[in-house]
């Protein structure tokens, strides 16, 4: 893994693409994982705050995600238990409306299978957002539909989730089953894996 990690750390595949965005930033891959982790958080891509901090989910989305999972900061960042591997490891930049651009598919195509091959103890994957859902579940339905069908995905030890962005607050309010049914099951499973002896 060390050799692979070193290659990813110096990856510049998307440098021209990022240089052409409004932020004109350079690649900065943000991976947070240990090979013995049992929980995989498969998000979309780092945002600007994470690009600057170099640590995943150091933003309001992270606060909401930790609340969904019932994890403290220390637990969430325990790499021996939780692997945080987004669909693209670098911040993709902003679109014309100022929103985060989607993860460039080339990242997952280049690195994802190789990184995940090193994680043999994963027992639960949290697929957050469309790109992660398509990759991990091979399901191309709209995100809301896949999340509503979460019990089917759970048979494959995957829980599909919407992005914990505050932009989705309205969706969460309109779908009370998410907090009433999905989150309790999610917290139960996450807690059981966190407390499993290493
Ligand atoms: S997003 Fe992935 S493929 Fe693109 S530069 Fe970063 S590590 Fe490389």
């Amino acid at each position: 893994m060390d050799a692979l990690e070193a290659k990813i750390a110096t990856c510049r595949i998307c440098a021209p693409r990022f240089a052409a965005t409004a932020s004109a930033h350079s690649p900065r891959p943000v991976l947070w994982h240990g090979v013995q982790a049992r929980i995989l958080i498969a998000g979309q891509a780092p945002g600007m705050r994470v690009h600057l901090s170099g640590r995943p989910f150091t933003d309001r989305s992270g606060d909401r995600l930790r609340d969904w999972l019932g994890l403290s900061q220390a637990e969430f960042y325990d790499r021996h238990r939780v692997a945080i591997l987004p669909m693209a490891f670098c911040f993709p930049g902003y679109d014309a409306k100022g929103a985060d651009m989607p993860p460039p598919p080339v990242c997952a195509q280049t690195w994802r299978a190789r990184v995940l091959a090193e994680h043999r103890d994963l027992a639960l994957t949290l697929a957050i957002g469309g790109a992660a859902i398509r990759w991990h579940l091979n399901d191309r339905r709209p995100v809301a539909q896949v999340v509503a069908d979460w019990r089917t995905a759970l048979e494959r030890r995957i829980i599909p989730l919407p992005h914990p962005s505050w932009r989705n607050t309205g969706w969460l309010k309109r779908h009370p089953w998410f907090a009433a049914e999905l989150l309790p099951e999610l917290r139960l499973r996450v807690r059981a894996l966190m407390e499993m002896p290493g």
Side-chain angles (χ1 to χ4, degrees):
M1 179 56 89
D2 287 352
L4 180 58
E5 192 112 28
K7 279 188 190 167
I8 295 171
T10 56
C11 178
R12 292 294 176 269
I13 291 173
C14 302
R17 176 199 299 254
F18 296 164
T21 65
S23 48
H25 61 291
S26 299
R28 184 184 189 188
V30 180
L31 292 76
W32 195 271
H33 63 133
V35 290
Q36 60 281 76
R38 297 205 175 92
I39 299 168
L40 169 64
I41 296 178
Q44 294 283 100
M48 177 54 101
R49 287 184 67 168
V50 171
H51 174 70
L52 295 174
S53 72
R55 191 185 247 234
F57 288 106
T58 49
D59 51 19
R60 293 174 73 197
S61 295
D63 292 339
R64 176 176 264 172
L65 181 58
R66 283 181 282 277
D67 176 56
W68 285 358
L69 305 181
L71 294 180
S72 66
Q73 286 258 358
E75 290 172 324
F76 184 82
Y77 290 113
D78 180 352
R79 301 172 200 246
H80 300 300
R81 291 186 166 81
V82 182
I84 305 174
L85 298 167
M87 295 306 297
F89 297 140
C90 302
F91 170 52
Y94 297 122
D95 65 18
K97 292 181 184 163
D100 286 1
M101 294 173 77
V106 66
C107 192
Q109 288 159 6
T110 307
W111 300 116
R112 195 159 190 81
R114 292 161 71 183
V115 175
L116 291 180
E118 306 283 342
H119 288 266
R120 298 191 184 91
D121 296 331
L122 291 176
L124 181 66
T125 294
L126 311 180
I128 301 174
I133 285 172
R134 285 190 290 278
W135 176 279
H136 287 276
L137 281 165
N138 193 23
D139 193 329
R140 306 196 78 76
R141 289 178 294 167
V143 171
Q145 219 173 313
V146 182
V147 175
D149 196 15
W150 61 274
R151 288 185 179 84
T152 302
L154 194 49
E155 291 165 13
R156 295 164 60 187
R157 299 189 302 176
I158 300 173
I159 298 184
L161 296 169
H163 197 279
S165 158
W166 294 92
R167 289 171 199 263
N168 282 332
T169 299
W171 185 91
L172 294 169
K173 282 188 180 152
R174 288 194 303 278
H175 298 87
W177 53 264
F178 182 81
E181 298 171 33
L182 189 155
L183 289 189
E185 183 69 29
L186 173 63
R187 288 182 184 133
L188 207 66
R189 297 209 174 220
V190 166
R191 182 52 52 195
L193 290 170
M194 292 299 288
E195 290 180 358
M196 191 181 279

